[in-house]
Amino acid sequence: MAYLNIALPKGRLGEKAYTMLKAAGYGCPAIEESGRKLIFENEALGVRYFWAKPSDVAIYVERGAADIGVTGKDILLEYRPDVYELLDLDIGKCKMCVAAKESFRDDKTRTLTVATKFTNIAKNYFAARGRDIDIVHLNGSIEIAPIIRLSDVIVDIVETGTTLKENNLVVFDEVLDISARLIANKASYKFHHAQMEELCAKLRQKQ
Ligand code: PRP
């Protein structure tokens, strides 16, 4: 039997997703040992797990290096990978927001400068509102931008709100709700159809 390759995002979200998969009967004892290894197999079950960088999970799945993976809705909307979205896992819940300094007031006669990692999501959001923007693409620590006047606002993920609060920023609007999704490679979905449907059914039972 061919292995079912599962790409998980390294970090807290991936660990939560693995716990769900384990509860559904897809555990892999080797993954639970600490260390720097990135690939683990459970030969008896025919599953192989990878720890991937969170923003790369969809790339592995789109290219078929992984049959299935766990990634955020934010990544799916930003990069539009050609994959199937099988299930909302109801974990990793957060919101994409527009935030700025409390004193910020939008002057519609000026182009709005927006710092973000999520260029496409930000462009679509402001285009739908007919607002002219100039995007500053950053790779992280986005909250710094309005403070040092690199941008007027940011479009970023808010989970607990602590990062905004500690940097004296406030939410001006909510762009979208985000949660983790189980995704599948399109060709693998046909090949492993029964196996993937069984996995989804078991995960749904545990939700
Ligand atoms: C994310 C996001 C915010 C923070 C929000 O950053 O970009 O900075 O988490 O979480 P909070 O509302 O619970 O404070 P991440 O840790 O992914 O790092 P980044 O700066 O590289 O984006």
Side-chain angles (χ1 to χ4, degrees), residues 6-22 31 49-54 57 69-72 89 91-92 180:
I6 307 177
L8 292 177
K10 256 191 281 183
R12 217 157 27 105
L13 178 64
E15 280 159 25
K16 265 193 195 168
Y18 171 72
T19 304
M20 289 178 73
L21 285 156
K22 185 182 174 188
I31 209 173
Y49 285 99
F50 317 150
W51 285 127
K53 190 174 161 75
V57 166
V70 171
T71 193
L89 294 172
I91 55 172

Side-chain angles (χ1 to χ4, degrees), residues 58-59 62 71 75-84 183:
I59 299 173
E62 184 177 36
T71 193
I75 303 285
L76 298 177
L77 291 171
E78 179 63 24
Y79 299 105
R80 304 229 169 249
D82 190 19
V83 298
Y84 289 134
I183 57 170

Side-chain angles (χ1 to χ4, degrees), residues 58-124:
I59 299 173
Y60 288 91
V61 175
E62 184 177 36
R63 289 183 166 261
D67 302 299
I68 59 178
V70 171
T71 193
K73 185 70 181 171
D74 50 331
I75 303 285
L76 298 177
L77 291 171
E78 179 63 24
Y79 299 105
R80 304 229 169 249
D82 190 19
V83 298
Y84 289 134
E85 195 179 313
L86 298 183
L87 191 64
D88 183 347
L89 294 172
D90 215 31
I91 55 172
K93 287 176 143 186
C94 50
K95 285 182 191 292
M96 182 78 67
C97 294
V98 180
K101 290 204 282 191
E102 205 165 5
S103 59
F104 167 75
R105 295 292 173 271
D106 193 6
D107 173 359
K108 298 222 165 61
T109 63
R110 284 180 50 239
T111 299
L112 185 74
T113 313
V114 181
T116 189
K117 253 199 279 200
F118 301 94
T119 307
N120 293 324
I121 292 175
K123 278 185 185 161
N124 290 338

